[in-house]
Amino acid sequence: MRISVFGCGYLGAVHAACMASLGHEVVGVDVVEEQVASLAAGRPPFHEPGLEQLLGEALATGRLEFTTDASRAADAVVHFICVGTPQKKNENAADMSYVRAATETIVGLLKPGDVVVGKSTVPVGTAEVIAERIEEREPAAELLWNPEFLREGHAVEDTLRPDRLVYGIRQGDGGARAARVLDGVYAAALAAGVPKVETDLATAQLVKVAANSFLATKISFINAMAELCEATGADVTQLADAIGYDARIGRKFLNAGVGFGGGCLPKDIRAFMARAGELGVDQALTFLREVDSINLRRRVRMVDLAREVCGGSIAGRRIAVLGAAFKPHSDDIRDSPALSVAAQMQLQGAQVTVTDPRAIDNARKKWPDLSYADTVEDAVRDTEVVLLLTEWPEYVGLDPVALKEQVAVGRIIDGRNCLDPATWRAAGWTYRALGRP
Ligand code: UDX
């Protein structure tokens, strides 16, 4: 099938490469020239495990191209909208300018029978507006809403083998026909038994933000329990293990620590609250305000803990921060708890050195005032406190005995509850963590 993908960021670049790897002919369109040039040369502009290889293989078949020239998409029969919907400056709502621009470009290309597939995370009601716009320009084309649930760091496998496929379909023959076209695009996943939910446009749009809100709530729930644990001397990791054995609760996404960040969960819950307000049902999502507050409080608590272990002040103290990415296996630093804590400590007068296996370049651009080191050894040398804020496997596997030799004072704060306290204490470290005695 000839497919176009509008927007070649995390979502679109992975989607385009994966669709080409399945045998489709794909043209990826983006307005950012460097991004297109980098992808066309087989170099992903961000770190995503497996993507570089997939991209190289797909480009070599000749079935995948990247361009800034939208007219290259004119002979595609399925057009995916994969552009970003970042948070607006100083507002909770999503910035819809990229979705509007991509829609205008796509409607200018439509032919009878074409299918437009929305994948971007949007405020509910957006798809209906896009459908009207399509109807005005090409009544014999159709819109489907097909949200994406990919996690950074697992984007390739999440795209090729998703947990589920959701189709938002308009009533009528056009909608049903379009859904069968999308079945053709996802034939491999459907044949492998991936469950599919066929629903209306509104539900499909809500599924995505509801899923992310639930995940954010789960993380903030366990972080709220961590606050209780701190007040009572209890251990949040054991609490999570114990409640997680209940199959109705489940252990996943119950890791307490410095909280969630990234380009999705924080902005999605905020945009969802903003949309609920517009719809007159803001009370339904008031709890998300608390989810957001709990999450941000963990960053403050982390700085407080650093101050506590330093005896009341971090001014002038040498502190190492392990991790800059918002989570491991990613170079994404958007709303990264690690960098937010590092910057806060720096503002309070500490001498902070940050290291990360992948995200240093991005971090340096965003926070040029922080000091960076390429290796853990360089970052921790002569420091008085080490904060582990992104649980990269290489940090989880650090040898506390060897590391102790390099620091001035052995104090570790485990911001992700990913180290074994007994091993670190046995090696002579003062071990502290969020929600643990
Ligand atoms: C998320 C959703 O998981 C994905 O389905 C959606 O499509 C996009 O948003 P992503 O942002 O890639 O994906 O990261 P995710 O793995 O969900 O982690 C989000 C944040 O939560 C990270 O900062 C992570 O460190 C944090 N987290 C996750 C916790 O603090 N505790 C946990 O138990 C799990």
Side-chain angles (χ1 to χ4, degrees), residues 47-87:
H47 173 68
E48 188 58 50
L51 181 59
E52 188 159 4
Q53 189 184 346
L54 195 78
L55 206 53
E57 287 165 5
L59 288 166
T61 63
R63 285 195 304 266
L64 176 63
E65 71 169 300
F66 291 96
T67 177
T68 53
D69 176 8
S71 71
R72 298 282 306 146
D75 59 349
V77 290
V78 181
H79 308 275
F80 285 97
I81 302 175
C82 292
V83 292
T85 51
Q87 188 176 340

Side-chain angles (χ1 to χ4, degrees), residues 33 38 57 258 267 280 291 327 344 374 389 393 400 417:
E33 274 176 28
S38 174
E57 287 165 5
V258 78
K267 67 111 176 147
V291 166
K327 69 172 191 181
Q344 269 309 312
D374 289 332
L389 299 183
N417 283 311

Side-chain angles (χ1 to χ4, degrees), residues 187-246:
L190 291 169
V194 170
K196 179 174 65 170
V197 179
E198 294 199 348
T199 181
D200 52 84
L201 288 182
T203 307
Q205 293 164 88
L206 281 172
V207 167
K208 173 61 194 263
V209 276
N212 276 356
S213 297
F214 190 86
L215 294 172
T217 303
K218 210 171 169 190
I219 299 168
S220 277
F221 172 81
I222 201 64
N223 282 330
M225 293 305 109
E227 292 187 15
L228 267 298
C229 288
E230 282 155 22
T232 55
D235 185 326
V236 74
T237 62
Q238 291 180 342
L239 179 85
D241 289 344
I243 64 172
Y245 281 120
D246 184 331

Side-chain angles (χ1 to χ4, degrees), residues 227-310:
E227 292 187 15
L228 267 298
C229 288
E230 282 155 22
T232 55
D235 185 326
V236 74
T237 62
Q238 291 180 342
L239 179 85
D241 289 344
I243 64 172
Y245 281 120
D246 184 331
R248 294 168 303 175
I249 296 174
R251 180 62 177 82
K252 288 180 183 163
F253 269 67
L254 279 186
N255 293 324
V258 78
F260 60 79
C264 292
L265 299 193
K267 67 111 176 147
D268 285 355
I269 61 170
R270 292 172 196 153
F272 200 14
M273 283 185 271
R275 184 66 184 133
E278 288 166 8
L279 293 166
V281 285
D282 46 332
Q283 278 190 328
L285 298 186
T286 308
F287 75 96
L288 286 180
R289 209 181 302 152
E290 201 50 45
V291 166
D292 203 6
S293 306
I294 294 166
N295 191 52
L296 296 175
R297 264 205 312 270
R298 291 287 78 190
R299 303 176 185 192
V300 177
R301 172 74 187 131
M302 195 68 202
V303 179
D304 288 347
L305 204 49
R307 195 179 305 109
E308 210 176 297
V309 302
C310 285

